[in-house]
Amino acid sequence: MGRFVLKRSLFSLVSLFGLLVLVFFLSRLTGDPAALYLPVDAPQSVRDAFREARGLNDPLISQFGDFLFNLAQFDFGDSLRRQRPAFDVVMEAFPWTLGLAGLTMALVLSGAVVLGALAAIKVGGVFDRISSVISLAAASAPDFWLALMAIFIFAVGLGWVPTSGTGTPWHWILPVAVLFVRPFGLVLQVVRSSMITALSSAYVKTARAKGVKQRAITFVHALRNAMLPVITVAGDQAAGLLNGAVVVESVFGFPGVGKLMIDSILQRDFTVVLAAIMVTSLAIFTMNLLIDLAYALLDPRIRY
Amino acid sequence: MAEHVLEVRDLSVEFHTAGKVVEAVRNVSFHLDRGETLAILGESGSGKSVSASAVMDLIDCPPGRITSGAITYRGEDLLHMPAGKRREINGRKIAMIFQDPLAHLNPVYPVGWQIAEAMRVHGMPAGDARRRAIALMERVGIRDAEQRAKAYPHQFSGGQRQRLMIAMALGYDPDVLIADEPTTALDVTVQLQILRLLQELRDETGMGLLLITHDLGVVAEMADRAIVMNAGEVVETGAVRDVLKHPSHAYTQKLIAAVPGQGSIRHSAIGVAEPILSVRNLNKHFGAYHALRDVSFDLRAGETVAIVGESGSGKSTTARAIVRLDDADSGSVHYGGRDLCALSDKEMFLLRRDIQMVFQDPTQSLNPRMSVFQIISEAWRIHADIVPRGQWRERVLELLDLVGLQPEHADRYPHQFSGGQRQRIAIARALAMQPRIIICDEAVSALDVSVQSQVIRLLDSLRDRLGVAFIFIAHDLPVVRDFADRVVVMKEGVIVEEGDVVQIFEAPVHAYTQALLAASLEADPDQRGKHQSESA
Amino acid sequence: MTQTGINGAPAKSPPKLPTWLGLLLADKFATVAVIFLCLVAIAALIGPALLDGVASKVAFRGRNLAPFQLDHGWLMILGSDSLGRPILARIIVAAQNTMMIAAFTVVAASCIGAALGLVAGYSRKFLSDAILRLADVIMSFPSLLLAVIVLYMLEPAVGNLVIVLAITRIPVYLRTTRAEVLEIRERMFVQAAKVMGASSWRIAFVHILPMVLPTLLTIATLDFAFVMLAESSLSFLGIGIQPPEVTWGLMVAQGRPYMNQAWWLSFWPGLFIVLTAMSLNLVSNWLRIVLDPTQRWRLEKRRETTNG
């Protein structure tokens, strides 16, 4: 077990390292970093001073060395726009995204598991039809469009909830609702098909021969076996949310990592972008590790 | 007439499948009393399992549908009973065990929990159910039951899993136990232990045993009465002695005639010719598991060597090492003056056509997307000099004729054939290479008894006409009795005995060979009880 | 044992053309979806040639006209945008870019992904591991963000957009293909081909690839919808397609400032995105059933009951 965690951590570190190297060289090779880091209208003298201060005139390889050295201390440099360490800026935004992702996925999982399991009991039945229509429509709707329409109808038209920003629990309703839709549709589809497979398996036949009630067969015998693929897909969706729901966060002015990242990119605040990638990648790695542990917990045949 | 515990009358079941309706079971009737064993005997597709599933309400509808008939338990109609009441009977009054216990046990719950569940659902308090589960596990022969109850199905062996299934079925001392091919997936020595256990438990509890099987040996060993099913209908029914000794229906007669190991033992005419293939000291590890230990034997031209062993004996691993599907760790295979194990892929390619293989399951070994013509002619696509392209068609038809198929079969696809026909196609594919050696890896194990004997007869005639040498791998001794010249018996990666077929069958030396012979069941009720399990 | 002919139906060859049509008609939703997708495809192919002039003609007098009025001709049925251009005409013209980007992306990603997957599944451990780690790196990277960063550094042209989107989608095909290859290569007919001396090339392309194709086709259909949504998001964020080029996603973005006065500017193009994605989902579901021999009877049975 400990060995497994160690091995996975090493693998992920390698992946993460590759990622940061990629971003570093992309940012250095696709143009003058000064142009990336500085505002477009910065005078030449400022650019020169910037290059000197940042060591941009050093050979690329020693720049890379400095970059790694600082990286090891979570030092990405200061945010140009905010004049504060970029890492701190990101860590301020991260809890918002974490909350948004956690709340959304909790709702998605509980909703999808119940509806999907009910749909699988009788293929072609009422629940099955409802769930296929919902999952199909939900998986097909672009979130930016949903966000606009939701604001138009519920915030502007009906005035039930605020249009954007934060402050009250009411502010969470629209972002969570919009983010909920697509993952819900996808996870629901997986729960349904996975449950259908589980319900047609031999051990369910045994349970029926034992005289176990349908409800217990569904939620005790089949569900636990069906959860592995569900967790995998839910994990992918949660990773998407942790990466910052860029579109939704920016439409709703929600101060999470996604909004921070897109703002920083548009404002050329590159240190913040790097720090944000680092933080979200670590978060996703932690989540994937937890998912692997959940596999082992659900299925005794999986041992690391 | 006294009321029977279980009675099935005029049962018909149909399935909607692939655009047509199949009547899986037609007007089937049988009954079962306490304390007796009724065997339903039939080959695949005969409808024997469907009848049992109907009793347990296990037929999925759709695609299945019970179209007519009645099933009564102690006079109560099971088919028109409210679901709740029906559930009270399942598992409590009528219990069932299945062919593949690994698939039929829930992989994610401890076995003790699953056994106890069978009692809890019928109202037994959790503590009592748990204690009884452990007692039952002990009764069916699981040692250290208290501890093992916490283990999961994958941590048991095949035979133990079937014991667990039996324990699960016994929770409430049911009136009827339905056993659907309970020993088919098991090794012969384990099979006998399980059958003994079922017999003991039947006598102990006085339950009725409904035994569904394709194996005449099992019927002869176990049953009081038997019914024979073919294509969804009951063709013969009666006391087991009458059915097996004096069958009245042509189908039953054919079935009994097809049982392997009845003919005269073949007397080898090969003598002491030079071997064409010499296997020397093959060793193979899978991780820490030593799968082959110093395996050595010879094969002479035109000879048939049978390799017999139970699962895990290394018999298939040997075959795969010879054709280099898996490379052995050490040792050599000499053929045509060269060591196959030491050849490069290129050199091996040139020798491949000489050694061909026929696999166990013809459904799996034929590419479903290719027509029979493509399957057979692929050999010549790969080895371009065997048959010139213009003669491919002609030669395919010749080969089809040789294996007993029709010319029009050339353009069909594998799924349009029956199991036996598919195996004939696989044999034709092997012959297309004009090999000197054909390795048959359990080539008849997946086939029905009657088909099995036809395929063996085909192989026999090919040997005589073409002079091909065979390595014939089997898990069971009787199959090789009429066909092999010599027999190699393997156990746990070691050759325990090797000898002339007469010697192996009439004067086996090694204890394991004796045990294998003792455990194989004959289709003769007079031999009942003479078989001994290796260790109970 | 007895039921193998019924439950464990033997693998069948895929159906022939007339059967395809019959199986399609058996699923009414899929039929409607296919018809809708054909209309979109036609719009994408000939729309720009027919309507380019109309769609880009600015008419300040007819700004933000409300939908469902026929006073200004049928092209105005869905209203007009902030420059007085008919929305219906613009949607038809935008279909080309939207479809083209998604199509190129899916074709490129599936070909490269499937090829890499075949190699990864059929080669020695080292190469296979290297390819998998590469896929891991791509997958661990937020795909939308990768696109944002790369497109920010490069130029947001159609070609770059396709490249970026394709790279982010390759792992899906790679992993699926590899998983299937690993399973299929252990099947007996592949082993039989090996015993005959078939080359790795022959085994990969003649024996394995045809078995993987149905799965890939199903995924590609689904992925088409995903890519379309991703492109729309990028265009919406302003780093995808740039005006005067237009896609549905960009149209939604352009309507955003006018949301409170003229909801239809964003609504209609978004609705087309939803409908197209839904149709693709339906077709993908239908394909999955048709290509799975153990499921196909459901459609065949339905067809029977409707016919007879």
Side-chain angles (χ1 to χ4, degrees):
Chain A
M1 188 63 130
R3 265 190 62 151
F4 168 76
V5 173
L6 200 72
K7 202 173 141 196
R8 277 296 301 262
S9 307
L10 264 169
F11 267 134
S12 302
L13 273 182
V14 171
S15 292
L16 186 60
F17 181 74
L19 201 76
L20 290 170
V21 169
L22 187 80
V23 174
F24 175 83
F25 281 103
L26 265 177
S27 70
R28 291 296 195 272
L29 296 178
T30 51
D32 182 7
L36 271 180
Y37 281 81
L38 291 181
V40 190
D41 51 359
Q44 190 59 39
S45 57
V46 174
R47 285 173 191 271
D48 291 342
F50 177 84
R51 293 184 69 87
E52 192 54 42
R54 289 295 176 104
L56 291 177
N57 293 324
D58 298 345
L60 199 57
I61 193 74
S62 80
Q63 288 184 38
F64 185 57
D66 289 346
F67 169 73
L68 289 185
F69 181 72
N70 292 331
L71 192 65
Q73 307 162 36
F74 289 103
D75 179 4
F76 295 87
D78 285 358
S79 158
L80 284 155
R81 296 282 151 173
R82 296 174 180 80
Q83 312 298 337
R84 297 191 296 129
F87 187 67
D88 296 355
V89 175
V90 173
M91 285 316 281
E92 255 165 44
F94 184 66
W96 290 100
T97 294
L98 194 63
L100 200 57
L103 185 58
T104 308
M105 284 318 291
L107 292 174
V108 164
L109 268 179
S110 42
V113 164
V114 172
L115 190 53
L118 290 176
I121 292 178
K122 195 153 197 284
V123 177
V126 184
F127 279 113
D128 191 27
R129 281 166 198 220
I130 294 175
S131 87
S132 12
V133 171
I134 291 179
S135 64
L136 199 67
S140 309
D143 49 5
F144 57 89
W145 182 73
L146 277 183
L148 289 187
M149 294 303 138
I151 291 178
F152 177 66
I153 296 170
F154 297 107
V156 178
L158 299 170
W160 289 352
V161 282
T163 51
S164 69
T166 53
T168 66
W170 296 103
H171 285 94
W172 287 71
I173 292 179
L174 280 188
V176 169
V178 170
L179 284 178
F180 173 83
V181 174
R182 244 178 89 79
F184 179 70
L186 293 169
V187 175
L188 182 58
Q189 279 175 353
V190 178
V191 173
R192 177 182 172 272
S193 68
S194 182
M195 278 300 284
I196 288 176
T197 311
L199 282 172
S200 60
S201 62
Y203 53 80
V204 163
K205 217 174 179 183
T206 312
R208 277 165 67 183
K210 282 200 278 189
V212 181
K213 289 200 181 82
Q214 183 63 44
R215 200 178 335 128
I217 289 179
T218 310
F219 290 101
V220 178
H221 283 271
L223 187 60
R224 188 160 159 190
N225 280 284
M227 276 313 275
L228 292 191
V230 174
I231 290 187
T232 311
V233 172
D236 284 352
Q237 294 301 311
L241 296 181
L242 278 178
N243 272 319
V246 179
V247 174
V248 170
E249 284 185 4
S250 52
V251 170
F252 288 105
F254 199 86
V257 179
K259 183 174 184 318
L260 178 67
M261 229 176 310
I262 191 83
D263 287 351
S264 304
I265 283 171
L266 296 175
Q267 296 166 354
R268 308 186 156 226
D269 204 346
F270 210 70
T271 48
V272 176
V273 175
L274 274 181
I277 290 174
M278 176 86 172
V279 169
T280 54
S281 298
L282 281 177
I284 290 171
F285 159 69
T286 313
M287 186 190 68
N288 283 334
L289 202 61
L290 290 177
I291 286 179
D292 282 333
L293 298 183
Y295 282 166
L297 209 65
L298 281 172
D299 189 341
R301 287 167 298 180
I302 299 175
R303 284 284 170 269
Y304 303 115
Chain B
M1 191 177 79
E3 196 175 70
H4 300 295
V5 176
L6 180 70
E7 186 161 10
V8 172
R9 271 192 315 270
D10 296 326
L11 180 72
S12 295
V13 182
E14 61 181 32
F15 282 88
H16 293 263
T17 168
K20 55 180 189 284
V21 179
V22 179
E23 269 204 294
V25 167
R26 251 192 322 274
N27 296 327
V28 166
S29 303
F30 59 84
H31 62 87
L32 181 71
D33 290 314
R34 278 184 64 89
E36 72 163 347
T37 300
L38 171 69
I40 303 184
L41 177 69
E43 296 184 297
S44 52
S46 64
K48 59 189 191 300
S49 290
V50 177
S51 322
S53 299
V55 174
M56 296 303 284
D57 192 21
L58 293 180
I59 292 177
D60 291 316
C61 39
R65 198 163 72 86
I66 294 173
T67 48
S68 72
I71 301 174
T72 54
Y73 166 75
R74 290 192 184 282
E76 281 186 280
D77 185 357
L78 287 179
L79 292 180
H80 300 98
M81 199 176 260
K85 208 172 162 203
R86 174 78 183 248
R87 207 168 39 234
E88 282 299 297
I89 290 176
N90 264 12
R92 185 171 182 168
K93 301 293 183 192
I94 309 177
M96 185 164 181
I97 62 175
F98 302 88
Q99 174 177 353
D100 178 2
L102 180 59
H104 281 88
L105 287 163
N106 195 325
V108 300
Y109 292 103
V111 294
W113 181 91
Q114 294 188 53
I115 296 172
E117 189 199 25
M119 291 166 269
R120 279 199 315 274
V121 294
H122 296 296
M124 192 183 281
D128 296 350
R130 204 186 132 60
R131 274 187 294 280
R132 175 138 173 82
I134 290 168
L136 283 169
M137 281 174 72
E138 269 164 6
R139 173 61 197 93
V140 297
I142 306 284
R143 284 188 205 124
D144 213 359
E146 186 94 41
Q147 281 304 309
R148 296 291 273 160
K150 294 175 196 133
Y152 294 89
H154 69 278
Q155 292 163 320
F156 292 85
S157 72
Q160 284 177 319
R161 281 184 211 123
Q162 194 58 285
R163 287 170 193 270
L164 292 167
M165 289 293 291
I166 294 171
M168 196 186 297
L170 291 180
Y172 269 96
D173 286 334
D175 282 334
V176 175
L177 177 62
I178 303 177
D180 187 357
E181 300 269 10
T183 56
T184 304
L186 303 175
D187 284 331
V188 275
T189 48
V190 182
Q191 155 165 307
L192 197 59
Q193 296 166 18
I194 297 290
L195 291 179
R196 287 271 179 280
L197 177 66
L198 284 173
Q199 227 156 20
E200 275 172 38
L201 291 168
R202 186 200 69 180
D203 296 345
E204 233 172 77
T205 65
M207 65 186 175
L209 183 60
L210 182 62
L211 187 64
I212 294 155
T213 183
H214 69 283
D215 190 335
L216 285 123
V218 172
V219 175
E221 183 66 21
M222 298 283 289
D224 302 314
R225 289 186 299 122
I227 67 175
V228 183
M229 285 187 72
N230 180 34
E233 286 179 337
V234 175
V235 295
E236 182 144 0
T237 169
V240 74
R241 269 193 124 268
D242 297 339
V243 170
L244 293 182
K245 292 259 169 176
H246 314 288
S248 57
H249 194 275
Y251 175 78
T252 321
Q253 290 163 356
K254 188 182 112 191
L255 210 58
I256 290 170
V259 171
Q262 314 181 89
S264 57
I265 294 184
R266 190 182 144 84
H267 283 276
S268 174
I270 301 297
V272 283
E274 276 295 295
I276 55 170
L277 185 87
S278 300
V279 176
R280 287 291 171 270
N281 301 321
L282 280 186
N283 276 286
K284 172 84 185 167
H285 289 83
F286 292 112
Y289 179 64
H290 204 159
L292 293 183
R293 297 164 197 253
D294 290 325
V295 169
S296 308
F297 66 93
D298 289 330
L299 177 71
R300 301 186 182 85
E303 181 189 43
T304 300
V305 169
I307 304 181
V308 179
E310 294 182 302
S311 51
S313 62
K315 55 191 192 301
S316 290
T317 313
T318 309
R320 294 173 64 87
I322 293 172
V323 294
R324 296 271 304 271
L325 274 175
D326 295 319
D327 284 338
D329 298 340
S330 68
S332 61
V333 178
H334 289 284
Y335 173 78
R338 317 189 62 174
D339 177 9
L340 296 184
C341 293
L343 293 183
S344 71
D345 285 353
K346 228 181 205 145
E347 294 167 311
M348 186 67 199
F349 173 78
L350 295 171
L351 290 179
R352 279 208 180 277
R353 63 166 74 169
D354 287 352
I355 307 173
Q356 280 303 299
M357 203 156 165
V358 176
F359 293 88
Q360 171 172 8
D361 185 354
T363 322
Q364 298 284 322
S365 72
L366 304 175
N367 189 331
R369 301 286 159 90
M370 288 165 87
S371 71
V372 170
F373 175 78
Q374 286 169 321
I375 288 170
I376 296 177
S377 64
E378 189 180 20
W380 309 321
R381 245 177 241 286
I382 296 168
H383 297 268
D385 55 325
I386 300 182
V387 177
R389 203 180 185 114
Q391 293 167 28
W392 281 11
R393 181 128 208 126
E394 195 187 328
R395 183 82 183 110
V396 165
L397 298 187
E398 270 173 45
L399 283 168
L400 286 178
D401 183 52
L402 192 63
V403 297
L405 293 172
Q406 307 302 315
E408 64 263 27
H409 289 153
D411 296 311
R412 295 195 190 157
Y413 287 84
H415 74 267
Q416 294 168 297
F417 294 91
S418 69
Q421 287 174 318
R422 281 186 213 139
Q423 200 58 297
R424 287 169 193 268
I425 298 168
I427 293 168
R429 170 175 62 186
L431 291 175
M433 288 280 197
Q434 300 172 348
R436 296 178 64 197
I437 301 170
I438 293 180
I439 300 176
C440 297
D441 187 2
E442 302 254 15
V444 296
S445 310
L447 304 176
D448 282 327
V449 189
S450 56
V451 184
Q452 216 171 46
S453 66
Q454 290 165 12
V455 172
I456 287 182
R457 237 175 289 141
L458 169 67
L459 293 174
D460 208 10
S461 77
L462 291 174
R463 177 176 55 188
D464 296 343
R465 285 160 72 181
L466 307 175
V468 183
F470 285 95
I471 295 177
F472 190 89
I473 292 166
H475 61 265
D476 204 358
L477 275 168
V479 186
V480 309
R481 187 171 174 268
D482 321 346
F483 181 56
D485 296 304
R486 281 188 305 125
V487 180
V488 171
V489 181
M490 290 186 74
K491 190 191 184 202
E492 288 160 10
V494 183
I495 295 183
V496 295
E497 183 163 3
E498 180 186 351
D500 197 66
V501 65
V502 183
Q503 179 252 309
I504 293 286
F505 277 88
E506 288 177 357
V509 177
H510 195 273
Y512 179 69
T513 315
Q514 292 164 353
L516 265 185
L517 273 173
S520 22
L521 302 173
E522 280 123 89
D524 181 357
D526 294 339
Q527 300 290 318
R528 180 179 290 193
K530 292 192 179 161
H531 308 283
Q532 290 148 19
S533 47
E534 199 181 10
S535 62
Chain C
M1 190 124 203
T2 314
Q3 294 190 3
T4 40
I6 292 148
N7 293 339
K12 287 185 204 171
S13 57
K16 301 270 178 291
L17 191 66
T19 330
W20 276 100
L21 201 63
L23 289 172
L24 178 62
L25 291 175
D27 185 339
K28 293 205 178 57
F29 287 108
T31 314
V32 174
V34 167
I35 293 172
F36 179 78
L37 288 177
C38 286
L39 288 178
V40 172
I42 292 170
L45 284 175
I46 61 170
L50 279 181
L51 292 170
D52 210 19
V54 194
S56 53
K57 206 176 90 192
V58 178
F60 286 104
R61 281 198 303 167
R63 295 176 59 181
N64 294 351
L65 285 178
F68 308 123
Q69 293 165 358
L70 286 171
D71 322 347
H72 299 82
W74 63 272
L75 279 172
M76 292 291 185
I77 182 92
L78 301 183
S80 69
D81 72 358
S82 56
L83 296 175
R85 297 173 293 194
I87 288 182
L88 180 61
R90 283 181 66 72
I91 285 178
I92 293 175
V93 172
Q96 184 168 54
N97 273 332
T98 311
M99 292 296 116
M100 204 172 64
I101 292 170
F104 281 142
T105 304
V106 168
V107 169
S110 58
C111 289
I112 298 172
L116 285 175
L118 266 182
V119 173
Y122 207 78
S123 60
R124 291 180 196 290
K125 199 169 166 2
F126 177 75
L127 189 58
S128 164
D129 276 357
I131 292 175
L132 268 189
R133 286 287 90 75
L134 189 72
D136 277 352
V137 172
I138 298 178
M139 273 186 106
S140 66
F141 205 91
S143 59
L144 192 59
L145 266 172
L146 181 72
V148 169
I149 291 169
V150 173
L151 288 173
Y152 177 64
M153 290 171 190
L154 305 172
E155 192 187 339
V158 173
N160 286 338
L161 196 58
V162 168
I163 292 174
V164 168
L165 286 172
I167 289 176
T168 61
R169 300 313 294 160
I170 284 176
V172 177
Y173 297 96
L174 195 160
R175 280 162 172 268
T176 316
T177 312
R178 178 176 166 276
E180 292 250 319
V181 169
L182 285 184
E183 191 258 318
I184 294 168
R185 64 181 282 189
E186 292 308 318
R187 290 211 202 155
M188 283 302 162
F189 66 83
V190 175
Q191 312 262 313
K194 269 192 204 163
V195 173
M196 288 200 281
S199 59
S200 305
W201 185 88
R202 185 176 177 82
I203 288 174
F205 285 89
V206 176
H207 290 283
I208 294 181
L209 192 60
M211 308 295 289
V212 186
L213 270 182
T215 317
L216 285 180
L217 193 66
T218 314
I219 298 180
T221 320
L222 207 59
D223 208 37
F224 196 99
F226 184 90
V227 170
M228 196 180 68
L229 294 180
E231 177 272 319
S232 308
S233 298
L234 288 175
S235 298
F236 178 81
L237 288 171
I239 43 175
I241 287 297
Q242 304 293 315
E245 292 286 323
V246 63
T247 65
W248 291 342
L250 189 60
M251 287 180 72
V252 176
Q254 287 172 336
R256 190 178 165 193
Y258 304 94
M259 201 61 215
N260 293 345
Q261 311 104 42
W263 53 269
W264 52 91
L265 264 60
S266 292
F267 178 76
W268 293 118
L271 187 68
F272 270 81
I273 296 175
V274 175
L275 289 179
T276 311
M278 247 170 108
S279 302
L280 288 162
N281 274 307
L282 280 168
V283 173
S284 173
N285 282 347
W286 172 78
L287 269 178
R288 191 176 313 151
I289 295 177
V290 171
L291 294 172
D292 180 355
T294 57
Q295 296 265 335
R296 203 188 301 152
W297 63 269
R298 293 181 194 278
L299 285 178
E300 282 165 346
K301 193 182 162 207
R302 219 183 294 171
R303 199 171 133 215
E304 232 169 69
T305 46
T306 41
N307 286 356

